[in-house]
Amino acid sequence: MSRAFARRLDALAEAPLAVGFSGGGDSLFLLKTALDWARPRGRRVLALVVDHQLQPDSALWTVEAVQKASALGAEARALAWTGPKPVAGLPAAARRARHALLAAAAREAGASVLLLGHTASDLAESAAMRAEGSTVPDPREWAPSPVWPEGRDIFLLRPLLSLTRGEIRAALTAEGETWLEDPANADLRYARARARARAGGADESVAAPEVARPPPVFSIDPAGAIRLPRDVAAAHLAAALLCAAGTERPPRGERLERLAQRLRDGETFTATLAGARIEADDAVLICRDAGETARGGLAPLELAPGETGVWDGRWEITAGAEPLAISALKGQASRLSPEQRGRLVKLPAAARPSLPLVLRHGAAPCSPALDGPDFAAEGGGRARLLVLGRFEAAVGLYDQECVTGRRVRGATAREPLS
């Protein structure tokens, strides 16, 4: 556990550390550990408590958790998953909502690292679930937030993966601590609760060192198109498809493996998968599939003055003094100036239709892919290409807080990690 803190966190950083806190035993142990690490270093700790509004007493538990976190010395904030809840797929929907709320709150507070209390027992339960046919992945010690675009710039640190739930509770009991128990953890309608029940209270640990694949050789141009070698690992190929498309769920399974095999076999082809377009020739080009407009992708975005939004999962755009309307360039290239069209033809043809086109009242159309991050300097508009930092994070180039703080925020072009 101490190794994870020393390995991943920046002792000299001034940004707060965010901690997902439920008031349960694992998160209580985590919060106390984070406070012990942060206090001598002068760092704030922000405890984020999510009320899923799924239990009758959830509001009371949230109040108690906030009070407990405050009493321990953390700043505490309550978050709520409001609105209707799905009948099917509730655990996955709740998990996505929780990650989105936690990531957005962490970023708003200026944190880039969110600590979560997953344990070795969670790893054992995930293994048991997969043995029953589930596709649930193992929680990793360090990973980008799994939600998008809410999770941009946020990394998850799980420092308790070497400890079992029993070990954690024994330590808390020795300190005279008590904690909340969520009844959902014993609700046998859910796969994880069934896996926990099958363990019969035993705390089997299957924690193992993570095997990191070396990152691929790649390049990313101003249009967000990714170039990869043909022998790219399937996991890195999936990350490229995900990032180039700006979507949230990476492709998996047979279609991904078949695509990776075609690349290794040296085939020349064009294909689409998971919202991305793949052109395989001497090298591999992956960009946004402009045909997604017919399926609801590349949806228009309108921003009020001063507002920041994410267009198509690939561009973070902030309006200046004037409102902005952003849409896909597809079918609108004739609206560009001759100078812009000259820059456009230097970009891959497949990537051009899916570029953002920005419209302002009384101003000529522009695009951050063609006009740079200060694409609307007159009105103060700014843009950031998210594809680069997201892909670098996905393939493991950001594995410490000191690197994430330096590289993720404001990254607009490929540059050395110096």
Side-chain angles (χ1 to χ4, degrees), residues 311 314-315 317 326-329 352 354-358 366-369:
W311 181 75
R314 297 177 293 132
W315 291 89
I317 299 176
I326 304 102
S327 59
L329 182 61
R352 297 171 199 167
S354 62
L355 296 181
L357 182 70
V358 180
C366 55
S367 174

Side-chain angles (χ1 to χ4, degrees), residues 50-100:
V50 176
D51 179 0
H52 295 85
Q53 299 186 348
L54 295 174
Q55 301 286 344
D57 293 329
S58 66
L60 176 62
W61 298 339
T62 299
V63 171
E64 292 179 358
V66 167
Q67 291 173 343
K68 179 66 173 180
S70 299
L72 289 171
E75 300 174 31
R77 180 180 171 192
L79 310 168
W81 182 28
T82 58
K85 307 299 190 286
V87 176
L90 181 60
R95 183 168 55 251
R96 202 246 174 238
R98 179 171 62 253
H99 274 293

Side-chain angles (χ1 to χ4, degrees), residues 134-354:
S134 172
T135 58
V136 62
D138 279 334
R140 291 184 289 160
E141 180 182 275
W142 178 266
S145 171
V147 291
W148 195 260
E150 300 95 332
R152 64 192 186 278
D153 303 339
I154 301 299
F155 288 77
L156 308 182
L157 174 60
R158 299 178 175 96
L160 307 186
L161 290 178
S162 62
L163 299 176
T164 67
R165 197 171 291 122
E167 290 170 332
I168 288 170
R169 279 154 176 71
L172 290 174
T173 300
E175 295 173 357
E177 292 285 3
T178 59
W179 54 89
L180 298 171
E181 290 288 359
D182 186 345
N185 291 331
D187 190 335
L188 298 182
R189 291 176 298 173
Y190 304 128
R192 185 165 293 277
R194 293 194 296 272
R196 187 171 298 188
R198 284 195 298 273
D203 246 331
E204 179 185 359
S205 172
V206 295
E210 296 181 22
V211 179
R213 296 180 176 88
V217 176
F218 69 94
S219 65
I220 299 178
D221 65 25
I226 303 173
R227 289 179 172 82
L228 296 170
R230 280 187 167 271
D231 61 352
V232 62
H236 292 157
L237 176 60
L241 295 167
L242 178 79
C243 298
T247 49
E248 183 173 279
R249 298 184 63 181
R252 297 186 177 95
E254 182 182 344
R255 295 185 68 191
L256 175 66
E257 292 297 335
R258 187 164 60 245
L259 179 63
Q261 187 60 53
R262 293 182 71 187
L263 294 176
R264 289 192 292 269
D265 290 344
E267 288 187 39
T268 297
F269 64 92
T270 298
T272 58
L273 181 60
R277 177 183 175 91
I278 307 97
E279 292 190 348
D281 203 337
D282 294 333
V284 182
L285 174 74
I286 299 175
C287 63
R288 183 64 160 120
D289 174 19
E292 278 287 295
T293 53
R295 295 182 289 272
L298 295 99
L301 174 68
E302 294 188 358
L303 298 175
E307 184 181 5
T308 296
V310 175
W311 181 75
D312 197 45
R314 297 177 293 132
W315 291 89
E316 182 185 81
I317 299 176
T318 301
E322 298 287 338
L324 299 179
I326 304 102
S327 59
L329 182 61
K330 184 178 182 180
Q332 302 188 77
S334 61
R335 304 180 70 173
L336 298 174
S337 69
E339 293 78 15
Q340 291 170 322
R341 290 198 294 272
R343 292 191 287 272
L344 181 66
V345 297
K346 297 178 181 179
L347 297 175
R352 297 171 199 167
S354 62

Side-chain angles (χ1 to χ4, degrees), residues 16-36:
L17 284 177
V19 178
F21 183 62
S22 67
D26 300 339
S27 68
L28 175 59
F29 187 85
L30 175 64
L31 180 58
K32 294 184 70 172
T33 304
L35 286 164
D36 288 344

